[in-house]
Amino acid sequence: MNTWHSIRQSPMTALGIALLTLLVFLTLFGPWIVPNDPLTVQMSERLQPPSWQYPFGTDHLGRCLFSRLVEGAQITLGLAAVVIVTVAVIGIPVGLLSGYVGGRLDTILMRIVDGAGALPEFVVAISVAGFLGPNLTNLLLSIVAIKWMGYARVVRSIVLSEREKEYVLAARVAGGSAWTVMRRHLIPQILSPVFVLAALDIGKIIMLIAMFSFLGLGAQPPTPEWGAMLNDGRPYFQTVPELMIYPGMAILLVVISCNLIADGLRDRLDVRSR
């Protein structure tokens, strides 16, 4: 009830949830609502204006723009969700062990994190993607390679501040194993900050996915990914700007909705912000 009351008190958060719900609906049920096959090439229908058959018109190969946008939501949002889950699965245990165990293990793990984080994220990601080759799997690996470190740092800092508190010391004195202490007392403390960080990161990850596909290092033709659609429409921007406007607006709406939800989560879950 308190969470629902907080959402009602924050119209921007409710707007973000509504936008993201609509996009998730399109992602889940897109194949059943699109009017045309997003991969079918019809040169006789190229660059058509919006119509009943093609709600957003067609691209330079006669493919339905609306159908490609809806199918692209599955790829872009699905890949972003996989990235978030993967970086959390890697970063949370690393930060948890590093902060709780400490000592030499903490030194080794943090030196790895600091060494990998010394270079700009974009340079590391584009190097990994370029080395592995242009496809969605390698794009996922390149983004995971730069994002897990942030989660490890956040979790470690929380664990370092919590492990010396009385309730943790009492659990250790009572004979609780390291796993029991982490599971019962430390993991609940890190969930809220991780949720907020993940909500903020979704927008950034979607922009990274689109950017790499725009550069040719992500989705490859004829995959209907939003960044790749931006690249396809670039030569026609002056004559048919809709080819870039529609996928650009889709990316913008997702990023805005994720940021609005992240702000609401931060206000709700972060005691210091309240």
Side-chain angles (χ1 to χ4, degrees), residues 19 206-207 226 246-258:
L19 287 174
I206 288 173
M207 293 186 68
W226 290 343
Y246 290 139
M249 288 298 297
I251 296 170
L252 179 64
L253 287 175
V254 174
V255 173
I256 289 176
S257 64
C258 291

Side-chain angles (χ1 to χ4, degrees), residues 128-233:
V128 173
F131 176 76
L132 295 177
N135 60 56
L136 289 176
T137 301
N138 295 338
L139 173 61
L140 184 150
L141 294 175
S142 65
I143 297 177
V144 169
I146 63 174
K147 284 296 181 183
W148 71 271
M149 297 174 288
Y151 289 76
R153 287 195 184 99
V154 168
V155 171
R156 175 180 177 269
S157 65
I158 296 172
V159 173
L160 285 175
S161 65
E162 295 291 328
R163 72 176 184 180
E164 302 301 330
K165 292 185 177 179
E166 292 183 356
Y167 71 95
V168 175
L169 295 176
R172 294 167 64 180
V173 171
S177 64
W179 165 243
T180 301
V181 173
M182 287 189 289
R183 177 172 57 86
R184 287 188 177 182
H185 302 289
L186 295 179
I187 291 179
Q189 297 297 325
I190 67 177
L191 289 180
S192 295
V194 167
F195 283 148
V196 175
L197 180 60
L200 285 170
D201 261 354
I202 290 177
K204 298 177 184 178
I205 290 170
I206 288 173
M207 293 186 68
L208 280 174
I209 293 170
M211 178 186 66
F212 276 78
S213 295
F214 180 80
L215 295 174
L217 294 174
Q220 300 299 301
T223 304
E225 196 278 325
W226 290 343
M229 292 176 66
L230 282 172
N231 189 36
D232 290 341

